[in-house]
Amino acid sequence: MIRIFSHYIPIRTLALVSLETLVLVVSIYQGLALTFLPAEQALAGSALSATPQVLLLVMCILTTMTAMGLYDSDVREAMGATVLRLLIAFAIVLAIASMLLMAAPALSVAPNALMTTFAVALFGSAVTRIAF
């Protein structure tokens, strides 16, 4: 266990959060690149201009997943229950993120780009959960 701010956090939980953060960042960039950019621009790295949207979405997803109890180290449940909690967390984040992105015009993302991004991120998060 690692002690952070007077709290003991299991290394396994910290590794899961770190890995899932990395997977979410990569999958959100991938989802945005799939919907926004032609193939030659996506390969050139111009998807990096969407960094504020990516950080906002990742923070919303991680906060909601924490609130749904997906990072509790002492919970052992069936994979079906975990996937259901993951789906509910992503549905809540989709509603919150769409309100946040519409409230800030500078961070605006097209609805089909948001859905594609969330589909790719949900797939990446589910694969991470299954593998972990």
Side-chain angles (χ1 to χ4, degrees), residues 112-123:
N112 100 357
L114 191 63
M115 292 302 290
T116 303
T117 298
F118 268 69
V120 173
L122 179 62
F123 177 74

Side-chain angles (χ1 to χ4, degrees), residues 34-47:
L34 284 174
T35 55
F36 275 155
L37 304 173
E40 61 273 358
Q41 285 182 340
L43 293 176
S46 54

Side-chain angles (χ1 to χ4, degrees), residues 2-82:
I2 297 175
R3 187 175 179 180
I4 300 176
F5 299 118
S6 300
H7 295 287
Y8 288 100
I9 300 174
I11 294 174
R12 180 177 167 92
T13 302
L14 192 61
L16 177 63
V17 170
S18 301
L19 181 65
E20 205 154 49
T21 302
L22 178 69
V23 167
L24 286 173
V25 167
V26 169
S27 62
I28 289 174
Y29 271 121
Q30 183 66 31
L32 288 174
L34 284 174
T35 55
F36 275 155
L37 304 173
E40 61 273 358
Q41 285 182 340
L43 293 176
S46 54
L48 294 177
S49 64
T51 302
Q53 291 96 333
V54 172
L55 293 178
L56 178 70
L57 292 174
V58 168
M59 291 309 297
C60 285
I61 291 170
L62 290 176
T63 302
T64 307
M65 289 173 69
T66 302
M68 291 293 296
L70 287 166
Y71 294 119
D72 288 345
S73 60
D74 56 343
V75 174
R76 296 283 179 222
E77 59 189 12
M79 185 53 69
T82 302

